Each structure stands twice: as C-alpha cells, then as structure tokens.
Amino acid sequence: MAHCIFSQVPVGVPISTDSSFRISVLKTCHDKSWTSGIPVVNLKSENARSRSRFVVCMSVQQPRKPKVTVSPLTLEDAKEPPLHLYKSNEPYTATIVSVETIVGPTAPTEACHIVIDHGGNLPHWEGQSYGIIPPGENPKMPGSPQNVRHYAIASSRYGDYFDGKTASLCVGRVVYYDPETGKEEPSKKGACSNYLCDSKPGDKIQVTGPYGKMMILPVDDPNATHIMIATGTGVAPYRGYLRRMFMEDIPTFRFGGLAWLFLGVANSDSLLYDDELSKYLQDYPDNFRYNRALSREQRNKSGGRMYVHDKIEEYSDEIFKLLDSGAHIYFCGLKGMMPGIQDTLERIAKEKGESWDEKLSQLKKNGQWHIAVY
Ligand code: NAP
C-alpha cells in the first residue's frame, strides 16, 4: 500500500549538507522541546541566503519535512544484522549519557529513557535488543554474576544523537507493593530496572548483544504497511522504526508506506514519547496513524478498562484488509496482552467467515507476524 510523502512543487534542491542545520536539530532533539522546536527550513530565504548551494528546478520530488542527517551511512551496508557481538562472559562496558523520567506524576509506573554511549562498538538494527548485566551477585547462584536482562532498543541504528555512537533503552521501574499493606517492598523490587533508572551520567554499565531477528524492521519494501501494537515500554522498538521512517535522512530508505501504532498505557501521564509521535502525526498524516488506549482513563464498550485489543477491535476491518494485502504486524510489551488480542482477532475472523488459525499460520509463514512479549 503506497502513501506518497512527497509533493510535486517547484523548489530549490539542497545539493550539500548544511551542518549548521544538523547541529541545531541535534540540540533541540536533545531535550523534550524537539517536537515543537524542529527548525522548519524556509526554502525561499534559504535559497536567497545560499543560492550557490541550490539548483533551481521545476517539479521535483521533495520531502515535505526536513529530516536529520545521520552518519555513518555505512551502517546501511551490512547485509545481515549484527548479532551477539558481546556475550555475558565478556560484556561491553558502555557509559550512561543520560537518564530521564519520561512519564508524568500520576503514572502508576515510572518509565525512564536511558541513553548509553557505546562509541559505535555495539551496532544494532531497529527492533533488536541489548542485554544488561546489573552489578552484584546472582541471588539464586551465590558467587556468580547476575543474569542478563533484555531490553528492546528504543533508538534507530544511528542512536539518539544520529552518529551511530549511542543507543537508548526505555525501562519501566519494577516496584512491588504489598497488596495488604499497600507499602513498597524493597526486597522484591526489580534489580536491573531500578539499577538502570537510578544510574547517573558517567556510570559504566555492562552490555551484551545485540540480540534478535524477529522484530527487525523489514526494509526491503519502503512502501510496506507496519501495524505496531505495544503496551507500556514495549513501544521501545517502534520508536526506533519511526525515527528511521520519519526523522532521519537516509538516502537509501525513503519511507512511503503506512506505519500504524496502537499503544496501551495506564493514563495520559503514562504516554511514552508522545510529543515525538504526535509530531509524526502532524507531519506525515498520510503515512502515520496513532491510536492510544488509556486503560485507566477510558472505558471500552462494556464499561471496562480500555486495552489495546479494544482498539484493535474498533479498527478490525481495516486491519484485516491490510494484513490481507501483506502488512506486517508487531506485538511488543506485556505477555498478558496476547490472549485478549488473539481472542479478538479470532472472533472477528469468525464473523467474517474466516479461520483465524489458517490466517495466523499464513501470516507467520509469510514473515508478517512479529512478536516480542514478556
Ligand atoms: P504497564 O504500565 O504495566 O502496562 C501498560 C498497559 O498495559 C497498561 O495500560 C495496562 O493496563 C495494560 N495491560 C495490563 N494487562 C493487560 C492485558 N492483559 N491486556 C492488555 N493490556 C494490559 O507496562 P510496563 O510497566 O511498561 O511494562 C510493559 C511490559 O513490556 C513489561 O512486561 C516489559 O518487560 C515488557 N517489554 C519491555 C520492553 C523494553 O525494552 N522496555 C520490550 C519488550 C517488552 P492496567 O491499567 O490494567 O495496568
């Protein structure tokens, strides 16, 4: 399904990279103001200021929005994804660049956006994960290090700063509350999530990987449709996909398809990367759709909490048509979301007189079905 993101207008075409433009984008991307702060290049005045760098031509294809220059473009050259470059017995020592809480005060779970510097030594493709080894002893095997914990990478291969030297993780802080007293039980809190969310810039962390082929964004067809379903921090890989599709200037990947994100979170304070995602919606309305299920703020048609499967049901006709035309569908987040989604899809297939089992096995066979739930 093709969605054109280009407009046919008489314009000036930049024939070299404007480094000052790139720097200003990097600066504004660094903080939350990026979405409102992205510089909109005024082609008229840009032409007047640096006419020598533009050739004027009529009716050429020009992306509607300026994108960020990325490097090194040699990261596009590999034919296979990088896998297991660093293992648990010899992890890579990376450095924390920043840790930022990205949910509001009424979110029931804290989520942190954590940028790590790997100096370009841990390359990955969009949709892969890293392993993190928290410090200390494995409580189940005294004397041994902690087990590796896997986190989906939330940045594209170019990292948060578009130079291929960093990567980011989206980590939900796992805290346990005693159901009877309602008090937090520190002995049961998640060792790795708390370690990561409490880390400080400059801290060293042990990283393994990258891992996984299942969730890698297929890039063979730039006009493909991608339906992405997430609960909470499971949005991480999609942030990487969407940066590649809509934010980054990659000469060999001009996305003209459809990316459709369904995100389930507890409430509006729990929405993750919402500014960035809303900006894509504004800039690429023909190529991006974004539906939010706020479980504790919205009600489904039966009066219960609104979950992602309720949203899927709402758009089931379109989703089925897109799947029949070859769309990829991805699931990332809580394992518990899958039964609700499977039941919904099965029921809808039945209503249409189709067999969900047959459809599912076909989707899997065609490589359209991608799943990473925990
Ligand atoms: P969360 O805040 O616990 O939940 C997110 C949303 O999912 C909430 O709206 C929650 O609703 C809803 N939910 C709960 N049970 C559900 C169900 N059975 N069906 C559909 N929706 C349901 O999420 P989180 O703390 O971010 O955790 C997300 C999960 O993703 C974790 O298990 C994590 O391990 C996993 N994950 C993370 C990554 C990563 O790299 N960060 C990657 C892949 C998977 P309520 O209001 O009912 O709670």
Side-chain angles (χ1 to χ4, degrees), residues 108-111 150-153 169-174 230-237 264-267 270 272 293-296 305-309 332-340 372-374:
T109 310
E110 183 186 356
H150 291 252
Y151 294 92
I153 301 167
L169 307 176
C170 180
V171 178
R173 192 191 278 275
V174 179
T231 51
T233 55
V235 72
V265 294
N267 61 23
S270 307
L272 301 164
L294 306 178
S295 55
R296 304 189 195 183
R305 288 183 176 185
M306 177 70 89
Y307 285 139
V308 275
H309 62 252
C332 190
L334 294 168
K335 201 178 185 173
M337 76 167 151
M338 288 316 289
V373 291
Y374 304 99

mmCIF file of all heavy atoms in Angstrom, residues 108-111 150-153 169-174 230-237 264-267 270 272 293-296 305-309 332-340 372-374, ligand 1:
data_model
loop_
_atom_site.group_PDB
_atom_site.id
_atom_site.type_symbol
_atom_site.label_atom_id
_atom_site.label_comp_id
_atom_site.label_asym_id
_atom_site.label_seq_id
_atom_site.Cartn_x
_atom_site.Cartn_y
_atom_site.Cartn_z
ATOM 1 N N PRO A 108 1.154 5.328 37.087
ATOM 2 C CA PRO A 108 1.361 4.344 38.152
ATOM 3 C C PRO A 108 2.743 3.686 38.117
ATOM 4 O O PRO A 108 3.230 3.206 39.127
ATOM 5 C CB PRO A 108 0.259 3.309 37.910
ATOM 6 C CG PRO A 108 -0.362 3.625 36.610
ATOM 7 C CD PRO A 108 0.053 4.988 36.187
ATOM 8 N N THR A 109 3.377 3.647 36.906
ATOM 9 C CA THR A 109 4.724 3.057 36.796
ATOM 10 C C THR A 109 5.666 4.108 36.240
ATOM 11 O O THR A 109 5.341 4.747 35.231
ATOM 12 C CB THR A 109 4.704 1.861 35.796
ATOM 13 O OG1 THR A 109 3.628 0.996 36.138
ATOM 14 C CG2 THR A 109 5.998 1.092 35.821
ATOM 15 N N GLU A 110 6.842 4.227 36.872
ATOM 16 C CA GLU A 110 7.827 5.159 36.324
ATOM 17 C C GLU A 110 8.511 4.513 35.121
ATOM 18 O O GLU A 110 8.821 3.319 35.143
ATOM 19 C CB GLU A 110 8.892 5.498 37.382
ATOM 20 C CG GLU A 110 9.889 6.530 36.862
ATOM 21 C CD GLU A 110 11.062 6.793 37.810
ATOM 22 O OE1 GLU A 110 11.078 6.238 38.925
ATOM 23 O OE2 GLU A 110 11.958 7.554 37.387
ATOM 24 N N ALA A 111 8.706 5.272 34.068
ATOM 25 C CA ALA A 111 9.474 4.777 32.921
ATOM 26 C C ALA A 111 10.598 5.766 32.647
ATOM 27 O O ALA A 111 10.394 6.987 32.723
ATOM 28 C CB ALA A 111 8.584 4.635 31.688
ATOM 29 N N HIS A 150 17.074 -8.505 29.236
ATOM 30 C CA HIS A 150 16.953 -7.985 27.858
ATOM 31 C C HIS A 150 16.038 -6.758 27.789
ATOM 32 O O HIS A 150 14.969 -6.754 28.380
ATOM 33 C CB HIS A 150 16.407 -9.071 26.934
ATOM 34 C CG HIS A 150 17.397 -10.172 26.720
ATOM 35 N ND1 HIS A 150 18.063 -10.363 25.532
ATOM 36 C CD2 HIS A 150 17.873 -11.119 27.558
ATOM 37 C CE1 HIS A 150 18.897 -11.381 25.655
ATOM 38 N NE2 HIS A 150 18.799 -11.863 26.871
ATOM 39 N N TYR A 151 16.483 -5.762 27.049
ATOM 40 C CA TYR A 151 15.663 -4.563 26.814
ATOM 41 C C TYR A 151 15.689 -4.242 25.325
ATOM 42 O O TYR A 151 16.761 -4.224 24.712
ATOM 43 C CB TYR A 151 16.225 -3.359 27.591
ATOM 44 C CG TYR A 151 16.119 -3.517 29.088
ATOM 45 C CD1 TYR A 151 17.165 -4.072 29.814
ATOM 46 C CD2 TYR A 151 14.965 -3.144 29.763
ATOM 47 C CE1 TYR A 151 17.064 -4.249 31.186
ATOM 48 C CE2 TYR A 151 14.852 -3.321 31.131
ATOM 49 C CZ TYR A 151 15.899 -3.870 31.843
ATOM 50 O OH TYR A 151 15.790 -4.051 33.197
ATOM 51 N N ALA A 152 14.513 -3.984 24.785
ATOM 52 C CA ALA A 152 14.450 -3.573 23.378
ATOM 53 C C ALA A 152 15.124 -2.207 23.246
ATOM 54 O O ALA A 152 15.009 -1.368 24.141
ATOM 55 C CB ALA A 152 12.998 -3.474 22.935
ATOM 56 N N ILE A 153 15.805 -2.011 22.145
ATOM 57 C CA ILE A 153 16.497 -0.734 21.929
ATOM 58 C C ILE A 153 15.495 0.273 21.366
ATOM 59 O O ILE A 153 14.730 -0.036 20.452
ATOM 60 C CB ILE A 153 17.703 -0.941 20.975
ATOM 61 C CG1 ILE A 153 18.653 -1.971 21.605
ATOM 62 C CG2 ILE A 153 18.418 0.388 20.715
ATOM 63 C CD1 ILE A 153 19.715 -2.501 20.657
ATOM 64 N N LEU A 169 17.426 2.995 25.830
ATOM 65 C CA LEU A 169 16.526 1.973 26.357
ATOM 66 C C LEU A 169 15.356 2.680 27.012
ATOM 67 O O LEU A 169 15.511 3.800 27.532
ATOM 68 C CB LEU A 169 17.238 1.118 27.415
ATOM 69 C CG LEU A 169 18.568 0.485 27.025
ATOM 70 C CD1 LEU A 169 19.182 -0.244 28.229
ATOM 71 C CD2 LEU A 169 18.396 -0.488 25.864
ATOM 72 N N CYS A 170 14.203 2.014 26.978
ATOM 73 C CA CYS A 170 13.038 2.562 27.668
ATOM 74 C C CYS A 170 12.702 1.550 28.767
ATOM 75 O O CYS A 170 12.304 0.424 28.468
ATOM 76 C CB CYS A 170 11.882 2.697 26.674
ATOM 77 S SG CYS A 170 10.393 3.351 27.422
ATOM 78 N N VAL A 171 12.917 1.947 29.996
ATOM 79 C CA VAL A 171 12.866 0.986 31.099
ATOM 80 C C VAL A 171 11.777 1.367 32.099
ATOM 81 O O VAL A 171 11.741 2.497 32.595
ATOM 82 C CB VAL A 171 14.242 0.936 31.814
ATOM 83 C CG1 VAL A 171 14.210 -0.030 32.998
ATOM 84 C CG2 VAL A 171 15.327 0.540 30.823
ATOM 85 N N GLY A 172 10.906 0.416 32.389
ATOM 86 C CA GLY A 172 9.874 0.632 33.408
ATOM 87 C C GLY A 172 10.436 0.185 34.759
ATOM 88 O O GLY A 172 10.958 -0.933 34.870
ATOM 89 N N ARG A 173 10.338 1.043 35.754
ATOM 90 C CA ARG A 173 10.886 0.693 37.073
ATOM 91 C C ARG A 173 9.957 -0.319 37.736
ATOM 92 O O ARG A 173 8.774 -0.034 37.959
ATOM 93 C CB ARG A 173 10.984 1.959 37.923
ATOM 94 C CG ARG A 173 11.804 1.775 39.188
ATOM 95 C CD ARG A 173 11.626 2.968 40.098
ATOM 96 N NE ARG A 173 12.449 4.116 39.776
ATOM 97 C CZ ARG A 173 13.710 4.289 40.182
ATOM 98 N NH1 ARG A 173 14.309 3.370 40.872
ATOM 99 N NH2 ARG A 173 14.360 5.401 39.876
ATOM 100 N N VAL A 174 10.489 -1.491 38.030
ATOM 101 C CA VAL A 174 9.658 -2.546 38.628
ATOM 102 C C VAL A 174 9.705 -2.419 40.149
ATOM 103 O O VAL A 174 10.753 -2.558 40.778
ATOM 104 C CB VAL A 174 10.129 -3.956 38.180
ATOM 105 C CG1 VAL A 174 9.275 -5.036 38.834
ATOM 106 C CG2 VAL A 174 10.075 -4.072 36.663
ATOM 107 N N ALA A 230 1.643 -2.115 21.077
ATOM 108 C CA ALA A 230 2.518 -2.099 22.262
ATOM 109 C C ALA A 230 1.723 -1.840 23.525
ATOM 110 O O ALA A 230 0.712 -1.137 23.505
ATOM 111 C CB ALA A 230 3.566 -0.993 22.120
ATOM 112 N N THR A 231 2.215 -2.435 24.621
ATOM 113 C CA THR A 231 1.777 -1.949 25.935
ATOM 114 C C THR A 231 3.005 -1.337 26.589
ATOM 115 O O THR A 231 4.113 -1.898 26.515
ATOM 116 C CB THR A 231 1.242 -3.085 26.842
ATOM 117 O OG1 THR A 231 2.210 -4.134 26.879
ATOM 118 C CG2 THR A 231 -0.090 -3.619 26.370
ATOM 119 N N GLY A 232 2.810 -0.209 27.241
ATOM 120 C CA GLY A 232 3.849 0.453 28.025
ATOM 121 C C GLY A 232 5.184 0.575 27.313
ATOM 122 O O GLY A 232 5.258 0.999 26.142
ATOM 123 N N THR A 233 6.246 0.154 28.026
ATOM 124 C CA THR A 233 7.603 0.324 27.486
ATOM 125 C C THR A 233 7.860 -0.554 26.252
ATOM 126 O O THR A 233 8.906 -0.418 25.623
ATOM 127 C CB THR A 233 8.649 0.004 28.574
ATOM 128 O OG1 THR A 233 8.376 -1.307 29.077
ATOM 129 C CG2 THR A 233 8.586 1.018 29.710
ATOM 130 N N GLY A 234 6.916 -1.410 25.930
ATOM 131 C CA GLY A 234 7.004 -2.201 24.693
ATOM 132 C C GLY A 234 6.985 -1.311 23.447
ATOM 133 O O GLY A 234 7.179 -1.789 22.332
ATOM 134 N N VAL A 235 6.774 -0.015 23.630
ATOM 135 C CA VAL A 235 6.811 0.923 22.492
ATOM 136 C C VAL A 235 8.255 1.119 21.992
ATOM 137 O O VAL A 235 8.476 1.644 20.900
ATOM 138 C CB VAL A 235 6.180 2.288 22.905
ATOM 139 C CG1 VAL A 235 7.094 3.065 23.850
ATOM 140 C CG2 VAL A 235 5.805 3.133 21.699
ATOM 141 N N ALA A 236 9.228 0.669 22.812
ATOM 142 C CA ALA A 236 10.641 0.950 22.512
ATOM 143 C C ALA A 236 11.049 0.668 21.049
ATOM 144 O O ALA A 236 11.539 1.573 20.373
ATOM 145 C CB ALA A 236 11.542 0.185 23.484
ATOM 146 N N PRO A 237 10.855 -0.552 20.542
ATOM 147 C CA PRO A 237 11.362 -0.787 19.177
ATOM 148 C C PRO A 237 10.695 0.104 18.134
ATOM 149 O O PRO A 237 11.330 0.485 17.143
ATOM 150 C CB PRO A 237 11.037 -2.266 18.917
ATOM 151 C CG PRO A 237 10.000 -2.626 19.925
ATOM 152 C CD PRO A 237 10.230 -1.753 21.116
ATOM 153 N N GLY A 264 -0.977 0.962 24.324
ATOM 154 C CA GLY A 264 -1.793 0.861 25.533
ATOM 155 C C GLY A 264 -0.978 1.247 26.756
ATOM 156 O O GLY A 264 0.071 0.649 27.018
ATOM 157 N N VAL A 265 -1.443 2.258 27.464
ATOM 158 C CA VAL A 265 -0.788 2.675 28.713
ATOM 159 C C VAL A 265 -1.879 2.969 29.744
ATOM 160 O O VAL A 265 -3.066 3.014 29.393
ATOM 161 C CB VAL A 265 0.110 3.932 28.522
ATOM 162 C CG1 VAL A 265 1.295 3.649 27.624
ATOM 163 C CG2 VAL A 265 -0.694 5.109 28.010
ATOM 164 N N ALA A 266 -1.457 3.195 30.999
ATOM 165 C CA ALA A 266 -2.452 3.350 32.064
ATOM 166 C C ALA A 266 -3.255 4.651 31.947
ATOM 167 O O ALA A 266 -4.475 4.650 32.039
ATOM 168 C CB ALA A 266 -1.759 3.276 33.418
ATOM 169 N N ASN A 267 -2.547 5.761 31.764
ATOM 170 C CA ASN A 267 -3.257 7.051 31.694
ATOM 171 C C ASN A 267 -2.447 8.046 30.861
ATOM 172 O O ASN A 267 -1.361 7.705 30.381
ATOM 173 C CB ASN A 267 -3.561 7.597 33.099
ATOM 174 C CG ASN A 267 -2.294 7.841 33.910
ATOM 175 O OD1 ASN A 267 -1.214 8.012 33.358
ATOM 176 N ND2 ASN A 267 -2.424 7.868 35.226
ATOM 177 N N SER A 270 1.111 8.443 31.471
ATOM 178 C CA SER A 270 1.972 7.280 31.172
ATOM 179 C C SER A 270 2.358 7.200 29.702
ATOM 180 O O SER A 270 3.076 6.282 29.307
ATOM 181 C CB SER A 270 1.250 5.973 31.513
ATOM 182 O OG SER A 270 0.771 5.981 32.815
ATOM 183 N N LEU A 272 4.230 7.424 26.413
ATOM 184 C CA LEU A 272 5.680 7.468 26.221
ATOM 185 C C LEU A 272 6.014 8.054 24.851
ATOM 186 O O LEU A 272 5.411 7.649 23.851
ATOM 187 C CB LEU A 272 6.250 6.048 26.331
ATOM 188 C CG LEU A 272 5.969 5.369 27.678
ATOM 189 C CD1 LEU A 272 6.203 3.868 27.599
ATOM 190 C CD2 LEU A 272 6.824 5.979 28.767
ATOM 191 N N ALA A 293 -4.707 3.643 23.804
ATOM 192 C CA ALA A 293 -5.703 3.063 24.715
ATOM 193 C C ALA A 293 -5.248 3.393 26.127
ATOM 194 O O ALA A 293 -4.190 2.935 26.569
ATOM 195 C CB ALA A 293 -5.768 1.548 24.528
ATOM 196 N N LEU A 294 -6.025 4.238 26.807
ATOM 197 C CA LEU A 294 -5.640 4.663 28.161
ATOM 198 C C LEU A 294 -6.490 3.864 29.151
ATOM 199 O O LEU A 294 -7.633 4.232 29.437
ATOM 200 C CB LEU A 294 -5.871 6.170 28.337
ATOM 201 C CG LEU A 294 -5.209 7.073 27.281
ATOM 202 C CD1 LEU A 294 -5.552 8.541 27.526
ATOM 203 C CD2 LEU A 294 -3.687 6.890 27.271
ATOM 204 N N SER A 295 -5.928 2.768 29.641
ATOM 205 C CA SER A 295 -6.734 1.782 30.383
ATOM 206 C C SER A 295 -7.463 2.363 31.583
ATOM 207 O O SER A 295 -8.578 1.954 31.880
ATOM 208 C CB SER A 295 -5.862 0.606 30.813
ATOM 209 O OG SER A 295 -4.754 1.057 31.549
ATOM 210 N N ARG A 296 -6.821 3.300 32.267
ATOM 211 C CA ARG A 296 -7.459 3.795 33.493
ATOM 212 C C ARG A 296 -8.171 5.142 33.305
ATOM 213 O O ARG A 296 -8.659 5.724 34.263
ATOM 214 C CB ARG A 296 -6.416 3.887 34.618
ATOM 215 C CG ARG A 296 -5.738 2.525 34.824
ATOM 216 C CD ARG A 296 -4.863 2.448 36.025
ATOM 217 N NE ARG A 296 -4.011 1.245 35.924
ATOM 218 C CZ ARG A 296 -3.156 0.848 36.838
ATOM 219 N NH1 ARG A 296 -3.017 1.550 37.950
ATOM 220 N NH2 ARG A 296 -2.431 -0.243 36.660
ATOM 221 N N ARG A 305 -11.887 -1.454 31.481
ATOM 222 C CA ARG A 305 -10.691 -0.693 31.103
ATOM 223 C C ARG A 305 -10.428 -0.806 29.598
ATOM 224 O O ARG A 305 -10.616 -1.881 29.024
ATOM 225 C CB ARG A 305 -9.472 -1.227 31.859
ATOM 226 C CG ARG A 305 -9.481 -0.868 33.322
ATOM 227 C CD ARG A 305 -8.225 -1.355 34.024
ATOM 228 N NE ARG A 305 -8.229 -0.905 35.417
ATOM 229 C CZ ARG A 305 -7.239 -1.083 36.273
ATOM 230 N NH1 ARG A 305 -6.149 -1.738 35.905
ATOM 231 N NH2 ARG A 305 -7.322 -0.628 37.506
ATOM 232 N N MET A 306 -9.993 0.265 29.029
ATOM 233 C CA MET A 306 -9.716 0.278 27.581
ATOM 234 C C MET A 306 -8.311 -0.296 27.332
ATOM 235 O O MET A 306 -7.309 0.275 27.753
ATOM 236 C CB MET A 306 -9.780 1.724 27.077
ATOM 237 C CG MET A 306 -9.454 1.895 25.624
ATOM 238 S SD MET A 306 -10.725 1.233 24.555
ATOM 239 C CE MET A 306 -11.778 2.669 24.395
ATOM 240 N N TYR A 307 -8.255 -1.440 26.661
ATOM 241 C CA TYR A 307 -6.976 -2.072 26.358
ATOM 242 C C TYR A 307 -6.718 -2.046 24.844
ATOM 243 O O TYR A 307 -7.627 -1.772 24.059
ATOM 244 C CB TYR A 307 -6.984 -3.524 26.851
ATOM 245 C CG TYR A 307 -6.838 -3.644 28.354
ATOM 246 C CD1 TYR A 307 -7.597 -4.563 29.079
ATOM 247 C CD2 TYR A 307 -5.934 -2.860 29.061
ATOM 248 C CE1 TYR A 307 -7.465 -4.693 30.459
ATOM 249 C CE2 TYR A 307 -5.793 -2.972 30.446
ATOM 250 C CZ TYR A 307 -6.557 -3.883 31.132
ATOM 251 O OH TYR A 307 -6.415 -4.000 32.488
ATOM 252 N N VAL A 308 -5.484 -2.410 24.473
ATOM 253 C CA VAL A 308 -5.155 -2.358 23.037
ATOM 254 C C VAL A 308 -6.072 -3.255 22.206
ATOM 255 O O VAL A 308 -6.414 -2.897 21.074
ATOM 256 C CB VAL A 308 -3.670 -2.703 22.727
ATOM 257 C CG1 VAL A 308 -2.780 -1.501 22.851
ATOM 258 C CG2 VAL A 308 -3.161 -3.843 23.540
ATOM 259 N N HIS A 309 -6.504 -4.396 22.764
ATOM 260 C CA HIS A 309 -7.356 -5.260 21.927
ATOM 261 C C HIS A 309 -8.707 -4.594 21.637
ATOM 262 O O HIS A 309 -9.337 -4.880 20.618
ATOM 263 C CB HIS A 309 -7.519 -6.663 22.520
ATOM 264 C CG HIS A 309 -8.164 -6.738 23.854
ATOM 265 N ND1 HIS A 309 -7.468 -7.045 25.000
ATOM 266 C CD2 HIS A 309 -9.440 -6.548 24.241
ATOM 267 C CE1 HIS A 309 -8.301 -7.044 26.020
ATOM 268 N NE2 HIS A 309 -9.499 -6.739 25.590
ATOM 269 N N CYS A 332 4.662 -5.934 21.027
ATOM 270 C CA CYS A 332 5.763 -5.812 21.985
ATOM 271 C C CYS A 332 5.214 -5.270 23.291
ATOM 272 O O CYS A 332 4.498 -4.271 23.313
ATOM 273 C CB CYS A 332 6.843 -4.891 21.423
ATOM 274 S SG CYS A 332 8.343 -4.933 22.409
ATOM 275 N N GLY A 333 5.540 -5.935 24.385
ATOM 276 C CA GLY A 333 5.070 -5.470 25.699
ATOM 277 C C GLY A 333 4.692 -6.627 26.584
ATOM 278 O O GLY A 333 5.347 -7.673 26.565
ATOM 279 N N LEU A 334 3.621 -6.448 27.329
ATOM 280 C CA LEU A 334 3.183 -7.454 28.291
ATOM 281 C C LEU A 334 2.680 -8.712 27.581
ATOM 282 O O LEU A 334 1.857 -8.613 26.666
ATOM 283 C CB LEU A 334 2.027 -6.905 29.132
ATOM 284 C CG LEU A 334 2.309 -5.746 30.084
ATOM 285 C CD1 LEU A 334 0.994 -5.170 30.594
ATOM 286 C CD2 LEU A 334 3.173 -6.216 31.244
ATOM 287 N N LYS A 335 3.153 -9.847 28.082
ATOM 288 C CA LYS A 335 2.681 -11.142 27.555
ATOM 289 C C LYS A 335 1.162 -11.245 27.702
ATOM 290 O O LYS A 335 0.465 -11.788 26.844
ATOM 291 C CB LYS A 335 3.345 -12.229 28.397
ATOM 292 C CG LYS A 335 3.420 -13.570 27.808
ATOM 293 C CD LYS A 335 4.156 -14.450 28.809
ATOM 294 C CE LYS A 335 4.399 -15.825 28.236
ATOM 295 N NZ LYS A 335 5.236 -16.603 29.135
ATOM 296 N N GLY A 336 0.674 -10.649 28.807
ATOM 297 C CA GLY A 336 -0.753 -10.719 29.120
ATOM 298 C C GLY A 336 -1.653 -10.077 28.078
ATOM 299 O O GLY A 336 -2.860 -10.320 28.067
ATOM 300 N N MET A 337 -1.082 -9.253 27.179
ATOM 301 C CA MET A 337 -1.961 -8.627 26.174
ATOM 302 C C MET A 337 -2.346 -9.628 25.075
ATOM 303 O O MET A 337 -3.345 -9.458 24.382
ATOM 304 C CB MET A 337 -1.292 -7.399 25.540
ATOM 305 C CG MET A 337 -0.217 -7.694 24.523
ATOM 306 S SD MET A 337 0.214 -6.209 23.593
ATOM 307 C CE MET A 337 1.918 -6.517 23.182
ATOM 308 N N MET A 338 -1.543 -10.689 24.920
ATOM 309 C CA MET A 338 -1.750 -11.560 23.755
ATOM 310 C C MET A 338 -3.064 -12.341 23.770
ATOM 311 O O MET A 338 -3.749 -12.383 22.741
ATOM 312 C CB MET A 338 -0.547 -12.502 23.549
ATOM 313 C CG MET A 338 0.697 -11.810 23.045
ATOM 314 S SD MET A 338 0.436 -10.604 21.724
ATOM 315 C CE MET A 338 0.017 -11.628 20.316
ATOM 316 N N PRO A 339 -3.481 -12.954 24.918
ATOM 317 C CA PRO A 339 -4.760 -13.675 24.876
ATOM 318 C C PRO A 339 -5.923 -12.780 24.447
ATOM 319 O O PRO A 339 -6.741 -13.180 23.603
ATOM 320 C CB PRO A 339 -4.935 -14.173 26.315
ATOM 321 C CG PRO A 339 -3.546 -14.230 26.873
ATOM 322 C CD PRO A 339 -2.792 -13.122 26.209
ATOM 323 N N GLY A 340 -5.982 -11.554 24.970
ATOM 324 C CA GLY A 340 -7.062 -10.625 24.600
ATOM 325 C C GLY A 340 -7.024 -10.302 23.110
ATOM 326 O O GLY A 340 -8.061 -10.258 22.434
ATOM 327 N N ALA A 372 7.337 -9.954 20.386
ATOM 328 C CA ALA A 372 8.326 -9.934 21.472
ATOM 329 C C ALA A 372 7.586 -9.496 22.736
ATOM 330 O O ALA A 372 7.470 -8.306 23.009
ATOM 331 C CB ALA A 372 9.444 -8.949 21.150
ATOM 332 N N VAL A 373 7.038 -10.472 23.460
ATOM 333 C CA VAL A 373 6.289 -10.128 24.674
ATOM 334 C C VAL A 373 6.917 -10.843 25.872
ATOM 335 O O VAL A 373 7.480 -11.932 25.722
ATOM 336 C CB VAL A 373 4.791 -10.477 24.554
ATOM 337 C CG1 VAL A 373 4.091 -9.585 23.548
ATOM 338 C CG2 VAL A 373 4.585 -11.943 24.186
ATOM 339 N N TYR A 374 6.805 -10.221 27.056
ATOM 340 C CA TYR A 374 7.441 -10.789 28.259
ATOM 341 C C TYR A 374 6.464 -10.781 29.421
ATOM 342 O O TYR A 374 5.635 -9.894 29.503
ATOM 343 C CB TYR A 374 8.675 -9.976 28.658
ATOM 344 C CG TYR A 374 9.662 -9.876 27.531
ATOM 345 C CD1 TYR A 374 9.711 -8.746 26.731
ATOM 346 C CD2 TYR A 374 10.516 -10.951 27.246
ATOM 347 C CE1 TYR A 374 10.595 -8.659 25.669
ATOM 348 C CE2 TYR A 374 11.401 -10.871 26.184
ATOM 349 C CZ TYR A 374 11.440 -9.725 25.401
ATOM 350 O OH TYR A 374 12.312 -9.639 24.349
HETATM 351 P P1 NAP B 1 2.374 -1.388 32.332
HETATM 352 O O1 NAP B 1 2.492 0.042 32.677
HETATM 353 O O2 NAP B 1 2.339 -2.403 33.404
HETATM 354 O O3 NAP B 1 1.104 -1.617 31.414
HETATM 355 C C1 NAP B 1 0.902 -0.919 30.228
HETATM 356 C C2 NAP B 1 -0.549 -1.030 29.844
HETATM 357 O O4 NAP B 1 -0.892 -2.382 29.556
HETATM 358 C C3 NAP B 1 -1.493 -0.546 30.931
HETATM 359 O O5 NAP B 1 -2.481 0.200 30.316
HETATM 360 C C4 NAP B 1 -2.046 -1.839 31.469
HETATM 361 O O6 NAP B 1 -3.367 -1.687 31.999
HETATM 362 C C5 NAP B 1 -2.137 -2.634 30.213
HETATM 363 N N1 NAP B 1 -2.381 -4.064 30.461
HETATM 364 C C6 NAP B 1 -2.182 -4.763 31.590
HETATM 365 N N2 NAP B 1 -2.604 -6.033 31.423
HETATM 366 C C7 NAP B 1 -3.070 -6.121 30.161
HETATM 367 C C8 NAP B 1 -3.651 -7.162 29.399
HETATM 368 N N3 NAP B 1 -3.812 -8.376 29.906
HETATM 369 N N4 NAP B 1 -4.038 -6.903 28.126
HETATM 370 C C9 NAP B 1 -3.867 -5.674 27.591
HETATM 371 N N5 NAP B 1 -3.347 -4.638 28.272
HETATM 372 C C10 NAP B 1 -2.929 -4.866 29.541
HETATM 373 O O7 NAP B 1 3.532 -1.685 31.334
HETATM 374 P P2 NAP B 1 5.090 -1.544 31.560
HETATM 375 O O8 NAP B 1 5.415 -1.460 33.019
HETATM 376 O O9 NAP B 1 5.600 -0.510 30.639
HETATM 377 O O10 NAP B 1 5.568 -2.971 31.091
HETATM 378 C C11 NAP B 1 5.472 -3.355 29.772
HETATM 379 C C12 NAP B 1 5.971 -4.758 29.577
HETATM 380 O O11 NAP B 1 6.699 -4.769 28.375
HETATM 381 C C13 NAP B 1 6.898 -5.309 30.644
HETATM 382 O O12 NAP B 1 6.472 -6.641 30.933
HETATM 383 C C14 NAP B 1 8.226 -5.348 29.949
HETATM 384 O O13 NAP B 1 9.060 -6.401 30.405
HETATM 385 C C15 NAP B 1 7.803 -5.587 28.537
HETATM 386 N N6 NAP B 1 8.745 -5.220 27.498
HETATM 387 C C16 NAP B 1 9.599 -4.198 27.651
HETATM 388 C C17 NAP B 1 10.493 -3.934 26.657
HETATM 389 C C18 NAP B 1 11.526 -2.865 26.846
HETATM 390 O O14 NAP B 1 12.518 -2.946 26.175
HETATM 391 N N7 NAP B 1 11.357 -1.926 27.686
HETATM 392 C C19 NAP B 1 10.479 -4.660 25.491
HETATM 393 C C20 NAP B 1 9.542 -5.663 25.347
HETATM 394 C C21 NAP B 1 8.682 -5.952 26.366
HETATM 395 P P3 NAP B 1 -3.731 -1.588 33.551
HETATM 396 O O15 NAP B 1 -4.271 -0.212 33.741
HETATM 397 O O16 NAP B 1 -4.790 -2.624 33.737
HETATM 398 O O17 NAP B 1 -2.496 -1.850 34.355
#
